[in-house]
Amino acid sequence: MLSGCAFYKEELVLLFNELKIKATLSEAIWIFIHILSLILGITIGVLVIVWLERKISAGVQQRIGPEYAGPLGIIQSLSDGIKLLLKEDVVPGKGNAWLFSAGPAVAVTPVFITYLVLPFGQHIILSDSRIGVFFWIAISSIVPLGLLMAGYGSNNKYSFLGGLRAAAQAISYEIPLALCVLSISLLSGSLSTIDIVEMQSKYGFLGWNLWRQPIGFVAFFISSLAECERLPFDLPEAEEELVAGYQTEYSGIRFGLFYVGSHLNLLVSSLFVAVLYSGGWSSPIPFLETIQDFSNLTGLEDLLNVLTPVLEVVTTLSKSYFYLFISILTRWTLPRVRMDQLLDLGWKFLLPIALGNLLLTASFRLLELS
């Protein structure tokens, strides 16, 4: 039996050499630390989203919300997660055990992978892929398969109907979403999330794509809400029709994984709205450039090297949580639509608007280049 170091030297190094990948043990450890830090950070972000949703909904409905589990109820989400971990995991006797078990994993794993191409700062990104935005669209299209597997594997007609609704809804709204992203890529001349943010940072607040693509922004925001199955688009789990949709037969941590995936997807969508339309990490007020001009005179260069990444992360998260706040208010403001209204909105309204926006953007780009 090989030890850890021997396995690394004899097997992994040989594999990396065959794949023409150069890596050292320190680089592998740093990659692991970065990935672990990202997973820990987004997990904490999900707990914060759940707490915010409960407190904001309580404020909208004029009640208190979580209060006793920690100060202002901030550890209520953590206690609920621990409760789900300790609850019994039940598998339907006549269901497909393999599909039933694989469904939550297939629904959650692609959302975690999406965070690889999300830039929290100019140099704070795990994978600066040149096709970052379309990598997100491609990976997110796997999630409905997990929901469909969960519904079919439960051997429950309500669960199966919920899975079918989730697949139909995702297909209907992924096309307008992709067309809006393509319009942004045409404006920026790149599919890289880093390049898209840098193109917006040239003119500060006025350079945001929000002002150059207002129609695309509205279509993108509505499509992202539908992708996350948020009210008024939570038809796959409409409790008055389907009991609980594709997650009816689930319990314990598998039940919780669906909600983790939903909130992770909501955070991803808000971060992409901030990156694509609101300048990402670039501040609306370009004060950092002014400070950098005097850094050599005052000896603040080392301090700036530390503060700049922190400010970039805070700016990105502030913009994304602002869109999260709007999404939560939308949930407690608008009524749920019917399934036919949902599909009509996607195919008959958002798709023509997104396609027309793409044609206009392409026409203006051709005029600029000619």
Side-chain angles (χ1 to χ4, degrees), residues 160-172:
F160 187 50
L161 283 173
L164 290 176
R165 281 187 175 187
Q169 180 171 323
I171 293 171
S172 301

Side-chain angles (χ1 to χ4, degrees), residues 40-63:
L40 181 62
I42 59 181
T43 304
I44 295 174
V46 168
L47 297 178
V48 172
I49 291 173
V50 175
W51 176 79
L52 279 176
E53 185 156 17
R54 288 174 168 177
K55 295 299 285 188
I56 293 172
S57 63
V60 171
Q61 298 173 341
Q62 295 184 349
R63 52 188 177 84

Side-chain angles (χ1 to χ4, degrees), residues 115-134 184-185 188-202 209 271-272 274-276 279-282 312 316:
Y115 285 88
L116 292 174
V117 296
L118 267 171
F120 294 90
Q122 190 169 11
H123 304 290
I124 307 174
I125 182 173
L126 280 183
S127 176
D128 184 12
S129 173
R130 308 306 298 175
I131 54 168
V133 287
F134 275 93
I184 295 295
S185 300
S188 306
S190 174
L191 298 176
S192 170
T193 50
I194 298 289
D195 294 342
I196 290 173
V197 175
E198 289 179 347
M199 283 294 295
Q200 299 176 74
S201 62
K202 292 182 179 180
N209 288 328
L271 284 167
F272 268 105
V275 167
L276 298 179
W281 66 80
S282 62
E312 290 176 350
T316 304

Side-chain angles (χ1 to χ4, degrees), residues 17-28:
N17 290 335
E18 291 178 356
L19 297 176
K20 297 182 179 179
I21 300 175
K22 293 183 179 180
T24 62
L25 181 59
S26 60
E27 291 175 350

Side-chain angles (χ1 to χ4, degrees), residues 172-185:
S172 301
Y173 286 88
E174 275 180 1
I175 299 175
L177 197 73
L179 292 176
C180 294
V181 169
L182 188 56
S183 301
I184 295 295
S185 300

Side-chain angles (χ1 to χ4, degrees), residues 334-346:
L334 300 179
R336 178 183 289 122
V337 299
R338 297 195 313 266
M339 192 64 192
D340 61 318
Q341 294 172 334
L342 175 79
L343 296 178
D344 285 346
L345 178 65

Side-chain angles (χ1 to χ4, degrees), residues 89-307:
D89 187 19
V90 180
V91 179
K94 295 184 179 180
N96 189 315
W98 188 86
L99 290 178
F100 187 85
S101 302
V106 175
V108 172
T109 305
V111 187
F112 274 104
I113 297 175
T114 305
Y115 285 88
L116 292 174
V117 296
L118 267 171
F120 294 90
Q122 190 169 11
H123 304 290
I124 307 174
I125 182 173
L126 280 183
S127 176
D128 184 12
S129 173
R130 308 306 298 175
I131 54 168
V133 287
F134 275 93
F135 176 82
W136 167 50
I137 294 175
I139 291 297
S140 62
S141 63
I142 302 175
V143 176
L145 295 177
L147 306 182
L148 193 59
M149 291 166 60
Y152 182 77
S154 299
N155 193 26
N156 182 311
K157 61 181 180 181
Y158 298 108
S159 299
F160 187 50
L161 283 173
L164 290 176
R165 281 187 175 187
Q169 180 171 323
I171 293 171
S172 301
Y173 286 88
E174 275 180 1
I175 299 175
L177 197 73
L179 292 176
C180 294
V181 169
L182 188 56
S183 301
I184 295 295
S185 300
L186 281 176
L187 278 180
S188 306
S190 174
L191 298 176
S192 170
T193 50
I194 298 289
D195 294 342
I196 290 173
V197 175
E198 289 179 347
M199 283 294 295
Q200 299 176 74
S201 62
K202 292 182 179 180
Y203 306 103
F205 178 72
L206 298 177
W208 289 1
N209 288 328
L210 176 64
W211 315 120
R212 296 192 289 174
Q213 290 277 308
I215 299 175
F217 169 75
V218 174
F220 185 91
F221 189 70
I222 295 174
S223 300
S224 63
L225 285 180
E227 278 282 303
C228 300
E229 300 170 12
R230 301 282 299 179
L231 267 166
F233 306 112
D234 64 334
L235 273 299
E237 52 187 41
E239 65 273 2
E240 71 271 16
E241 304 170 29
L242 301 175
V243 185
Y246 51 82
Q247 56 199 12
T248 303
E249 300 294 335
Y250 281 89
S251 62
I253 190 57
R254 291 179 184 171
F255 176 82
L257 281 177
F258 286 115
Y259 282 98
V260 169
S262 175
H263 286 92
L264 280 174
N265 212 357
L266 181 62
L267 182 58
V268 166
S269 300
S270 300
L271 284 167
F272 268 105
V273 172
V275 167
L276 298 179
Y277 291 96
S278 301
W281 66 80
S282 62
S283 175
I285 304 172
F287 62 92
L288 286 178
E289 288 78 2
T290 305
I291 298 176
Q292 287 175 352
D293 292 339
F294 298 97
S295 60
N296 294 328
L297 299 176
T298 57
L300 295 176
E301 187 174 359
D302 294 335
L303 182 61
L304 276 176
N305 292 334
V306 176
L307 288 181

